Amino acid sequence: MSSAIGKWYPSTKLMILLTVIMISMFSTLPMVQYVLFGVALILSVAAGTISRFLNTFFKSIFLIVLFIFLIQVFIVKNEDSQPIWWFISYSQLGLDNSINLSSRIVAISSIIIWFFQVTSVKDIIFALEKARISKKITFVIAATIQLIPQMTKLSQTITDAQRARGIETEGSVFTRIKAFIPMMGPLVLTSIQQTDERVLTLEARGFSSSAKKTAYYSIKKTTLDYTIVLLCLVVLITYFVGGPL
């Protein structure tokens, strides 16, 4: 990552992530959750990833939060539910519950989005190897992180190939479903083929070898990294000693 925040050591950014998650989990005030969301926004602006952050947020988390709000307020029956029309009713208790739940989801998911947008996979792998984590565990973690982007890219490639052959992939929902079903076969088979190729590549690079390996890529902790980690610890201690809000 080219930004100054992107060059922080992965464990430093992980400490920020854990700090926000722990405060969010133990907080009972929605305002605290929104403050944490603001922290994620500020960090995204500082890292230069605010456009990607907002794009990801509104395409995923916003829809989940909206769904929770509608279900909790208008569908779920509570003691104070007031009928509006047919199965739809209004509940102030449901509104309060939806605010508490959705605000926590927003706070936690936003900082997770920020973390993965400013932390490259190779940085995570290097940090895990430096921490003497088993290389098998490291590979599983790296493969899991890369799974969704790789599958998305592969599905787009297959969709473009089908479109080039004259198959309709755009239009109504029914048309998209018809195009999606034939895509599953090539997607699964290609994924299996790539898995075999990845295994051969790892063996060719001595993945199972017990010899000590050297890395051509490295990152180092700076004074700023230690300062941020210490600051996060101070924030957590102060928060829990003073009593969670």
Side-chain angles (χ1 to χ4, degrees):
M1 301 296 175
S2 58
S3 65
I5 291 180
K7 295 178 181 178
W8 291 352
Y9 202 78
S11 61
T12 302
K13 290 176 278 190
L14 180 62
M15 188 63 191
I16 297 175
L17 171 69
L18 295 177
T19 301
V20 172
I21 290 178
M22 291 183 68
I23 293 176
S24 177
M25 291 295 294
F26 287 94
S27 175
T28 57
L29 297 178
M31 183 56 65
V32 175
Q33 311 292 347
Y34 296 133
V35 170
L36 296 177
F37 174 65
V39 170
L41 287 177
I42 293 173
L43 290 172
S44 295
V45 171
T49 59
I50 186 63
S51 297
R52 290 171 53 205
F53 176 87
L54 293 176
N55 184 49
T56 303
F57 180 84
F58 282 106
K59 282 185 176 180
S60 55
I61 308 304
F62 178 76
L63 296 177
I64 295 174
V65 170
L66 180 62
F67 178 78
I68 291 174
F69 175 82
L70 295 176
I71 294 297
Q72 287 286 339
V73 178
F74 298 108
I75 305 299
V76 176
K77 300 298 181 181
N78 295 295
E79 297 177 357
D80 62 339
S81 296
Q82 300 177 0
I84 296 179
W85 175 76
W86 196 15
F87 62 90
I88 300 177
S89 60
Y90 172 78
S91 171
Q92 181 64 39
L93 181 60
L95 177 62
D96 296 337
N97 291 336
S98 66
I99 292 176
N100 291 330
L101 179 60
S102 61
S103 61
R104 184 170 281 106
I105 292 175
V106 167
I108 294 177
S109 60
S110 60
I111 198 65
I112 292 175
I113 292 173
W114 167 80
F115 175 80
F116 284 104
Q117 288 186 344
V118 298
T119 310
S120 62
V121 176
K122 63 180 181 180
D123 285 351
I124 296 175
I125 294 175
F126 177 83
L128 291 173
E129 292 178 346
K130 199 71 174 178
R132 300 185 182 278
I133 303 297
S134 171
K135 55 187 177 182
K136 293 181 179 179
I137 297 177
T138 302
F139 173 73
V140 171
I141 294 175
T144 302
I145 295 174
Q146 295 175 319
L147 178 62
I148 295 178
Q150 288 177 347
M151 294 295 287
T152 301
K153 184 177 180 179
L154 180 59
S155 63
Q156 185 60 46
T157 301
I158 295 174
T159 300
D160 292 340
Q162 290 180 334
R163 189 181 298 114
R165 292 183 175 91
I167 299 176
E168 294 184 11
T169 58
E170 297 179 352
S172 63
V173 176
F174 183 70
T175 302
R176 292 175 182 270
I177 293 175
K178 286 175 61 178
F180 177 77
I181 295 175
M183 183 185 70
M184 293 304 297
L187 182 63
V188 173
L189 293 176
T190 305
S191 299
I192 296 174
Q193 180 183 2
Q194 289 184 347
T195 301
D196 292 337
E197 293 175 352
R198 191 174 293 112
V199 170
L200 293 174
T201 302
L202 289 173
E203 290 300 325
R205 295 179 178 179
F207 180 79
S208 58
S209 174
S210 58
K212 184 178 180 181
K213 298 179 177 62
T214 57
Y216 70 91
Y217 176 81
S218 65
I219 50 178
K220 296 182 179 179
K221 287 186 178 181
T222 63
T223 304
L224 180 60
D225 289 305
Y226 291 107
T227 303
I228 294 174
V229 171
L230 180 61
L231 180 61
C232 289
L233 290 174
V234 171
V235 169
L236 284 174
I237 293 173
T238 304
Y239 178 76
F240 287 107
V241 171
L245 299 176

